[in-house]
Amino acid sequence: MNIPSLYKGVFLLITIHLSISGSAQEMTSKSLKDSTVINDVDSTIAYSLMLDSIEVSPSKSAFRLKGSTLFVNVEYDEILSHQNDMAELLGKIPGVIKNGNSITVAGKSPVYYIDNRKVMDAEEIDLLSVEQIRNIKVITTANARYDSEGRPVIDIKTKRMGEGLAYNIMGDLRLGKYFSQKYRLNLSYNYKKWDFFLAYNYQYGKEWIGGDSQTGIMADTLWNKNSYIDNLDRIGAHHYKLGTSYHLSPNSLIGIQYSGSFNSNKKNDTDSTFLVPGKGIPSFLNTWTHGTGKTNVHHINVYYKTGLGKNWELNTYGDYVRKDSHSDRFLNERDNILKDNHINYTQKSAWDVLAAHLQLSHESEKYGTFAFGYDFSYSHGTDCIDYVDRGDNGKTDNKESKNALFFNYTKDIGSFSIDAGLRYEYVHSLLKENYLNEEMKDHYHRILPSLTLSHSWRMLMHSLSYSIGTERPNFTDMNNNRAYTNRYNRGEGNLNLRTETDHELSYMLMYKFLYLNISYEYLHHPLMQRYFNLPGNSAVIVNRTENFSDRQSLTCLLNLRHTIKCWTPSVTFSMMKSYADYPGPNGTTLKDGRPVVTAIIDNAFSLPHNWLLSSRFEYCWGGYLQMIKIDPFSTLDFSIQKSFAKDRWRLSLNAYDIFKKGDYNGFWQHDNIQINHHTLRDSRKIGITLTYRFRKNKEINKQNAAEKEMSRLKIEEKDE
C-alpha cells in the first residue's frame, strides 16, 4: 500500500469530492430507439423500397429514460459519436462526471460491463474506440442482476465492424508545463462466423502538482506547520487486448480474450516544512523523495452466450486476473535541529482473482422478464512493506470468497413498469499479519433488495428507485503497513475495516429537453479517511481509512439541453449536501456546512463542411463536501474539430482551463487538526488529436443504408 503524504491525501480528497459534487454534462429530451442488427441487410433495403411512397417520420434520438436506466444511443448523436476517446464520450452523458480521466456516477466510481460481461480492470475501457460503441446504459440504481456492490453501472454494448478488415488509429498530444502523448490502435478482422480483434494503447507524460498548506495541531502544545510541495511524476503505460469469438448461430456466441497492462512511474517530490511549536525551538525540514513503481496485470476471460428454446437465454463467463505491484521509495531529510535522516523502503503486492457468472433469463410479453443466476469470486493476495534499517516491516496475507444468488423480475403494465430484484451474498474472509502474528476471520450474510417503479406518458418519463448495497474495503487498505512520508507525516493500513452498507432512494424525470435527478443516500459505517496524532509525538500526523458511524447526502441535478438548428446548448445545475458529524477539538462535534453548487454550460456547433466547435464552462460556488470546505473555482475549455475524406480523418484542436482558474483551495478539520491547503495543477494545456478510421467502403455503405431505413421504419431493439 502506497499511502500518500498528508498533503497529497488532502489533495486527493478534494479531487474526489469535486467529482462527487460535479454535475452532468449533456442531455436531450428525445426518446432513444436502439437500432437492431438485421442479418440480411439487402433484404431490409429492398423491403423499405416497397414503402417508398409512404412518408414515415424518423423518431431516432440519443437518450431515453426507463426506470433507473438512461439509454444512450451513441451512433445517432453527432456530438457523442465524434468524441476522441471513451473518457470524453462518458463525460457527455447526464449523471456521469468526468474529472480528468476519472469517471464517477452519482458520486461513486462505477462498475463497468462490456457486452453483458463485467470488466475486471477499468483500464480496459481505454482500449475501446468511440467508433466501436453502439449504445450505453447508465444505471444509477443497479438491479440484482449486476454484481455492483451497491455502485452504479455503466453497461457498454459494442458493434460488429462489418465483414473484413477494420482499424482505428488515434494519436493525442498535449502540452502544458510538460508534454504528454497517447496513442491507440484498434484492429478487427471478421470473416463469416469468426471475429478476431486486437487493441493497444500507449501513453507517456509528466504530471506536476504543487501547492502550499498551513496546518495547525492543538495538542500538548500548539504546532503550526507551513509547507510547500512540488511533485513531478513520470508516467508510462501500456494496455493491450486480443481475442477471438465464434458465432455458433445468430443467437449463440462463444469467445476468449486476453488483456493486460504494464504501468511504470518515477516520482520526484520536494517538501519544505517550517514547524513552529508553542513551546520550543522552530525547525525547518527539507524532504527530497525519489520513487519508482511498476504494475503488471494479466487477465483471461472466456464467455458463452446462447438462446435456449423459445425466449430463454443463457449468459455465462469466467475470469482469471493476476496483478503484481512493486515500488521503491528513497527519502532524504535535512533538519536545522535534528540530524539528517535517510529512509529506504519497498512495497510489494501480488493478487490472484478467480470469478464466474451464470445467468439464465426468460422473456415473455404476457408474464414479463425474469432472470436468476449465480456469482462467485475468490481473491488471494499479499501486501508487504520492507524497510532498510527500520523496524516497521509488515506482511499481510488476505483471502476472501464471495458467493451470491440473485433473482430479478421486470414487467410492463400499460404505461407503468416494475423492476424488482433480490440478491443474497455470503462473504468469508481470512486475514493474517505475519509480523504481528495476528489472524482475523470475518463473514457476513446480506440480503440486498432493489425496486424501481416507473411511469411514462407521451414525453414524460419518471421513476422512483430504492436499493440496498454494500461496499467492501479496498484490499490495499486491509493491512498493517506503515508508510513513512516524512518526519511529520505517516500513513498506515487498517486490519479492522468493515463492510459499508448503502441505502439509496432516487427519483429521476425526463420531459422534453429537461432532465432531473434527485438522490438521497444513507451510509452505515462509511469508509472515510481519518487523521490523528501519533501517540507519544503530537507533531506527527497519521492518516488511514476507518469506518465512521454514518453519513447522509442529498444530491440534485437539473439539465436542460436543446438543439436549435446547428447549435446544441446544454446547461446543468447540481447541488450536493452532506450530513455527517465529525469529532472536533476538546470533545466538540463538527458538522458539514452549506452545500456545494455547480453550474456547467456546454455549447456545441455543428457547422457546414464537417466542422464541430464546442466549449465547456464550469463554475463552482464552493461549499462543504464531507469535512472539506472548498472555495469557488472555474474552468473554461474549448475544442474545434474538422473531418476529412468522408469522415475517415478527424483532426481536433483543444484548449483546457484557458484562464488557469481551476486550482483548488480547501479547508479541512478533524479532531484537533486543521489544514488549509492550496493545490496548484498543470491544468492549462493545449492539445491536438488525430484519428484515422478504415473500413471497406462496401460495408460502410450497406450498413449506413440499412440504419437509415431501420430508423424510418422505427425498428427498435429490445431493452436488455
Side-chain angles (χ1 to χ4, degrees), residues 239-454:
H239 309 292
Y240 31 84
K241 179 172 69 173
L242 69 157
T244 183
S245 61
Y246 181 75
H247 299 261
L248 299 168
S249 70
N251 298 319
S252 183
L253 175 71
I254 186 170
I256 182 171
Q257 71 176 29
Y258 163 79
S259 61
S261 64
F262 173 74
N263 300 333
S264 63
N265 66 79
K266 294 182 179 180
K267 300 176 179 288
N268 288 291
D269 302 343
T270 301
D271 187 344
S272 301
T273 301
F274 184 58
L275 179 66
V276 182
K279 300 177 182 179
I281 302 175
S283 65
F284 185 80
L285 174 68
N286 275 327
T287 304
W288 294 273
T289 304
H290 174 70
T292 60
K294 296 180 181 180
T295 302
N296 278 291
V297 177
H298 303 280
H299 175 205
I300 297 176
N301 170 250
V302 294
Y303 50 92
Y304 176 60
K305 183 178 180 180
T306 185
L308 299 175
K310 186 177 180 180
N311 299 329
W312 285 90
E313 183 179 84
L314 173 68
N315 181 30
T316 182
Y317 55 85
D319 298 273
Y320 169 72
V321 180
R322 171 74 179 189
K323 181 177 182 179
D324 295 281
S325 298
H326 182 107
S327 65
D328 296 294
R329 289 178 68 87
F330 309 92
L331 294 91
N332 183 15
E333 296 181 332
R334 292 185 178 179
D335 191 287
N336 66 322
I337 298 178
L338 303 177
K339 67 177 182 179
D340 293 352
N341 198 13
H342 305 281
I343 305 293
N344 297 343
Y345 63 88
T346 298
Q347 291 178 274
K348 294 184 291 185
S349 67
W351 287 89
D352 294 284
V353 178
L354 286 171
H357 172 88
L358 175 66
Q359 176 180 301
L360 187 64
S361 60
H362 180 267
E363 181 179 5
S364 169
E365 183 177 352
K366 181 178 180 181
Y367 298 106
T369 301
F370 64 87
F372 57 90
Y374 169 70
D375 280 323
F376 166 79
S377 67
Y378 173 78
S379 304
H380 178 209
T382 57
D383 277 289
C384 65
I385 184 169
D386 294 320
Y387 282 87
V388 177
D389 300 326
R390 286 179 65 91
D392 288 335
N393 294 341
K395 184 177 181 180
T396 306
D397 186 86
N398 202 324
K399 297 179 181 179
E400 183 175 282
S401 63
K402 183 182 75 171
N403 292 271
L405 297 172
F406 63 87
F407 175 82
N408 201 84
Y409 176 74
T410 304
K411 172 66 175 173
D412 294 329
I413 307 173
S415 60
F416 292 88
S417 178
I418 182 173
D419 187 318
L422 195 65
R423 190 177 185 89
Y424 166 77
E425 292 185 350
Y426 173 71
V427 177
H428 180 269
S429 64
L430 174 63
L431 188 151
K432 294 181 179 180
E433 215 299 320
N434 295 327
Y435 284 95
L436 298 178
N437 197 25
E438 292 184 0
E439 181 176 294
M440 300 183 64
K441 295 182 180 180
D442 190 22
H443 66 91
Y444 69 81
H445 303 262
R446 291 283 197 278
I447 296 179
L448 309 173
S450 62
L451 176 65
T452 298
L453 302 175
S454 58

Side-chain angles (χ1 to χ4, degrees), residues 45 58 74 99 118 164 216 226 248 324 480 631 647 692:
I45 298 174
V74 176
N99 190 338
K118 186 177 181 180
N226 296 314
L248 299 168
D324 295 281
N480 197 45
D631 291 344
D647 205 27
Y692 177 72

Side-chain angles (χ1 to χ4, degrees), residues 35-40 134 157 159-160 710 715 717:
S35 65
T36 187
V37 174
I38 297 182
N39 293 326
D40 194 342
R134 183 176 176 188
K157 188 169 186 180
K159 59 186 176 184
R160 201 169 190 251
M710 285 160 16
I715 299 174
E717 182 186 40

Side-chain angles (χ1 to χ4, degrees), residues 65 67 415-417 453-457 460-464:
L65 178 67
S415 60
F416 292 88
S417 178
L453 302 175
S454 58
H455 173 257
S456 61
W457 181 73
L460 175 66
M461 294 165 280
H462 58 141
S463 66
L464 182 66

